[in-house]
């Protein structure tokens, strides 16, 4: 009998219930309850709002901790039990009231918040009140999304919001930003994403890009600004997509001082007819698009600019190298000899280039000329010693395009792969078109193997993954 009792006690010890140690200290009934209050609050703060509320019902202790734990709110995930009389309008009204009650009555801080159901102008006053409460409760991540495109009734963020000292990440979709009078703004901000935002002037972007904490800035199809001047010690990524398709809003993109900038991604319209200047970016690894229909391109001390009386583009000053750039994207019209000459000069600025992506535009031309001599006689092209991958988006039978492809095939000794993105008509409906292009390409003369792919072209192609965000 004594042996049976001993076995039962051992089983209870293994399950962690019922008995006491020989020292007299009680065993822990539940390992989760042994966690500290701080750790439980951290766990609850990582859960979606609905799941955190359910988890808080596990015990009285958890219920008390949840009321003071950092909260994550997403109004798109809030739903109530559907009824026969519920409508979309009533559901949105219930959700807005629920969000306001939760934010205003929660005792602890608000870690992140996403608001998507306050787009009507009648609710903009409520958003102002919510933003004031969120600032007081130390908001760290905020996403505001509206669906009203009319600028006169678009939501205008209040001036007091820009002094929030705890905000780290900000996402704005379809709203208006005021003129910034009293900088600095968001002293701890790290990431900002602006989509279809209307700005009154350049002040918001200017102050933002002078922040010492900013690491990432994405500007998608925004209006009201003209100049982007970067002077930020910690900025690592800048993405700009202009809204206009023919004549962009952006007139100038200048990288004054960005010692940690690694990615600079600009859309075609953001660089077309724009002054682009890269003065100090020693860690820049990914650069594009460089649209060769530009006004002026400055790389260090070298400047490529268009003459005032003609369309000629000349190099002024010594050419400066950007040895850190490993991936480059260029938009070029191979029907324009001046753009081809400019491209041959610009490529010499990137001696350690490993990936080259070229978007070809306006392939139709009356006077086709073979520009192979431009590449043979130009140079020196130091990047040919390091180039490993090439993508030509919009590849065709144009003689200048084929000459450029053959130049890379014959001279890029470590080139491993070249992807030729062709139109559906050429690739699928023209008989023997691929075979004819293969006969023109001189890959058989290479001493090392090379993979050539003919692929159907579309807007967001995997081969152009680094640039799909800014493709028009």
């Amino acid at each position: 009998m004594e042996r049976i009792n001993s076995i039962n006690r051992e089983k209870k010890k293994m399950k962690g219930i019922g008995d006491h140690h020989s020292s007299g200290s009680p065993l822990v009934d539940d390992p989760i309850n042994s966690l500290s209050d701080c750790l439980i609050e951290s766990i609850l703060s990582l859960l979606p709002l609905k799941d955190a509320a359910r988890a808080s019902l596990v015990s009285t202790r958890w219920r008390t901790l949840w009321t003071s734990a950092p909260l994550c709110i997403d109004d798109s995930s809030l739903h109530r039990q559907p009824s026969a009389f519920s409508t979309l309008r009533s559901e949105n009204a219930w959700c807005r009231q629920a969000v306001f009650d939760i934010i205003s009555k929660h005792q602890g801080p608000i870690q992140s918040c996403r608001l998507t159901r306050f787009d009507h102008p009648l609710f903009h006053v409520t958003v102002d009140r919510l933003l004031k409460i969120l600032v007081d409760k130390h908001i760290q991540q905020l996403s505001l999304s509206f669906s009203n495109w009319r600028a006169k009734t678009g939501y205008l963020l209040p001036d007091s919001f820009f002094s929030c000292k705890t905000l780290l990440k900000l996402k704005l979709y379809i709203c208006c930003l005021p003129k910034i009078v009293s900088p600095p703004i968001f002293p701890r901000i790290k990431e900002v994403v602006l989509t279809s935002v209307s700005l009154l002037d350049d002040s918001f972007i200017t102050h933002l890009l002078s922040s010492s904490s900013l690491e990432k800035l994405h500007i998608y199809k925004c209006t009201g600004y003209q100049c982007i001047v970067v002077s930020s010690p910690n900025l690592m990524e800048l993405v700009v997509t202009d809204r206009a398709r023919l004549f962009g809003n952006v007139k100038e993109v200048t990288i004054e001082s960005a010692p940690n900038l690694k990615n600079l991604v600009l859309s075609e319209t953001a660089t077309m007819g724009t002054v682009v200047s890269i003065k100090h970016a020693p860690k820049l690894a990914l650069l594009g698009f460089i649209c060769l229909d530009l006004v002026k391109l400055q790389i260090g001390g070298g400047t490529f600019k268009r003459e005032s009386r003609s369309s000629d583009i000349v190099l002024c000053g010594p050419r400066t190298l950007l040895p850190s750039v490993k991936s480059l994207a260029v938009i070029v019209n191979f029907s324009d000899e001046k753009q081809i000459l400019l491209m041959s000069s610009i490529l010499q600025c990137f001696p350690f280039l490993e990936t080259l992506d070229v978007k070809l535009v306006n392939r139709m031309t009356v006077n086709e000329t073979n520009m192979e001599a431009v590449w043979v006689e130009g140079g020196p092209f130091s990047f040919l010693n390091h180039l490993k991958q090439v993508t030509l988006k919009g590849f065709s039978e144009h003689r200048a395009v084929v000459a450029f492809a053959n130049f890379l095939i014959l001279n890029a000794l470590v080139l491993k792969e070249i992807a030729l993105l062709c139109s559906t008509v050429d690739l699928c409906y023209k008989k023997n078109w691929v075979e004819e292009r293969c006969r023109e390409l001189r890959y058989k003369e290479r001493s090392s193997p090379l993979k050539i792919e003919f692929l159907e072209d579309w807007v967001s192609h995997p081969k152009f993954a680094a640039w799909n965000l800014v493709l028009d």
Side-chain angles (χ1 to χ4, degrees):
M1 191 66 180
E2 183 66 27
R3 181 175 178 81
I4 294 174
N5 290 337
S6 176
I7 293 174
N8 289 336
R9 284 194 297 270
E10 290 297 328
K11 288 182 177 180
K12 290 180 180 180
K13 287 182 180 180
M14 294 178 65
K15 293 180 180 180
I17 59 174
D19 284 351
H20 297 267
H21 287 289
S22 58
S23 61
S25 60
L27 286 172
V28 179
D29 293 339
D30 188 348
I32 295 182
N33 278 332
S34 67
L35 301 176
S36 63
D37 292 352
C38 182
L39 188 55
I40 293 177
E41 288 182 356
S42 299
I43 295 173
L44 291 174
S45 67
L46 297 174
L47 296 175
L49 183 62
K50 192 173 183 179
D51 296 335
R54 287 178 175 176
S56 67
L57 300 177
V58 171
S59 67
T60 305
R61 177 186 174 217
W62 280 45
R63 195 173 309 144
T64 305
L65 292 174
W66 182 69
T67 58
S68 58
L71 206 59
C72 298
I73 302 174
D74 185 350
D75 64 357
S76 63
S77 65
L78 294 180
H79 305 281
R80 62 176 175 175
Q81 196 70 22
S83 65
F85 303 99
S86 63
T87 62
L88 179 60
R89 184 175 181 179
S90 64
E91 287 299 310
N92 287 337
W94 171 85
C95 180
R96 285 190 292 268
Q97 186 61 47
V99 169
F100 186 83
D101 291 341
I102 293 172
I103 292 177
S104 59
K105 296 179 181 180
H106 186 69
Q107 299 175 7
I110 307 294
Q111 182 172 327
S112 67
C113 181
R114 181 171 181 258
L115 303 178
T116 63
R117 305 195 191 192
F118 294 82
D119 55 308
H120 197 278
L122 292 176
F123 310 126
H124 290 177
V125 176
T126 305
V127 178
D128 288 345
R129 296 172 61 189
L130 286 174
L131 288 181
K132 186 178 184 306
I133 297 173
L134 290 173
V135 171
D136 294 337
K137 295 196 174 184
H138 312 297
I139 182 70
Q140 295 184 11
Q141 302 179 27
L142 177 64
S143 175
L144 293 178
S145 180
F146 301 89
S147 59
N148 196 329
W149 283 90
R150 293 174 294 179
K152 293 182 179 180
T153 56
Y155 177 69
L156 180 66
L157 270 74
D159 295 336
S160 58
F161 173 68
F162 297 97
S163 60
C164 181
K165 297 181 180 180
T166 58
L167 192 64
L168 301 178
K169 296 182 180 180
L170 176 65
K171 292 184 179 181
L172 300 176
Y173 181 72
I174 308 181
C175 62
C176 302
L177 293 178
K179 181 178 180 180
I180 304 299
V181 180
S182 56
I185 58 175
F186 307 131
R188 296 182 59 194
I189 195 72
K190 290 187 176 181
E191 296 183 14
V192 177
V193 178
L194 307 177
T195 305
S196 299
V197 172
S198 178
L199 298 98
L200 295 183
D201 59 6
D202 299 334
S203 59
F204 177 78
I205 293 179
T206 300
H207 293 307
L208 200 61
L209 287 173
S210 62
S211 170
S212 60
S213 59
L214 185 67
E215 296 178 356
K216 182 186 296 184
L217 175 61
H218 290 192
I219 306 174
Y220 298 121
K221 298 182 179 180
C222 298
T223 59
Y225 70 100
Q226 292 186 342
C227 298
I228 298 176
V229 180
V230 180
S231 181
S232 178
N234 291 312
L235 184 68
M236 300 175 65
E237 182 172 279
L238 175 62
V239 179
V240 181
T241 301
D242 210 349
R243 185 171 183 176
R245 299 183 68 87
L246 296 178
F247 301 100
N249 297 313
V250 183
K251 305 302 180 185
E252 177 186 352
V253 178
T254 301
I255 311 298
E256 286 283 353
S257 177
N260 289 297
L261 183 64
K262 295 181 180 179
N263 299 336
L264 178 58
V265 183
L266 308 172
S267 69
E268 177 181 355
T269 52
T271 56
M272 184 184 301
T274 305
V275 176
V276 179
S277 178
I278 304 173
K279 297 182 180 180
H280 181 68
K283 295 184 180 180
L284 187 62
L286 185 143
L287 173 62
F289 282 99
I290 293 181
C291 180
L292 299 187
D293 186 16
L294 48 81
V295 175
K296 183 171 70 173
L297 172 64
Q298 180 178 355
I299 300 177
T303 302
F304 303 88
K305 70 176 183 179
R306 190 184 302 277
E307 290 289 355
S308 58
R309 296 183 180 180
S310 68
S311 59
D312 293 338
I313 298 179
V314 298
L315 173 63
C316 303
R319 182 182 286 107
T320 303
L321 304 182
L322 285 179
S324 61
V325 175
K326 299 295 187 295
S327 182
L328 176 69
V330 179
I331 298 177
V332 57
N333 180 3
F334 268 88
S335 300
D336 187 345
E337 294 184 13
K338 295 183 177 64
Q339 290 195 23
I340 299 176
L341 292 170
L342 175 61
M343 183 176 176
S344 67
S345 296
I346 290 178
L347 287 177
Q348 298 176 41
C349 298
F350 309 99
F352 297 101
L353 194 63
E354 296 180 359
T355 302
L356 176 62
D357 297 321
V358 181
K359 180 182 178 183
L360 309 172
V361 295
N362 297 331
R363 295 172 294 167
M364 300 294 293
T365 182
V366 177
N367 182 25
E368 284 196 359
T369 57
N370 191 346
M371 298 296 294
E372 188 172 2
V374 173
W375 307 107
V376 174
E377 299 173 2
F381 298 106
S382 301
F383 73 94
L384 293 173
N385 298 323
H386 306 274
L387 191 63
K388 298 178 181 178
Q389 183 173 345
V390 174
T391 302
L392 301 182
K393 183 179 177 65
F395 180 79
S396 68
E397 66 274 12
H398 194 295
R399 292 179 63 187
V401 175
V402 175
F404 177 65
N406 278 328
F407 166 73
L408 297 177
I409 290 173
L410 296 175
N411 296 279
L413 302 180
V414 297
L415 184 63
K416 297 180 179 179
E417 178 183 353
I418 180 169
L420 306 176
L421 308 185
C422 315
S423 68
T424 305
V425 174
D426 291 340
L427 199 61
C428 302
Y429 297 103
K430 290 186 178 181
K431 187 177 180 181
N432 300 327
W433 187 86
V434 174
E435 289 77 5
E436 292 175 1
R437 302 290 79 75
C438 288
R439 286 194 291 268
E440 294 176 349
L441 298 176
R442 302 166 61 182
Y443 60 93
K444 293 182 179 180
E445 301 178 24
R446 284 178 57 91
S447 58
S448 58
L450 174 64
K451 179 181 179 182
I452 299 181
E453 292 183 291
F454 287 87
L455 303 173
E456 185 178 355
D457 190 11
W458 61 82
V459 176
S460 299
H461 201 283
K463 292 293 183 180
F464 250 57
W467 320 105
N468 286 338
L469 286 174
V470 294
L471 280 177
D472 297 325

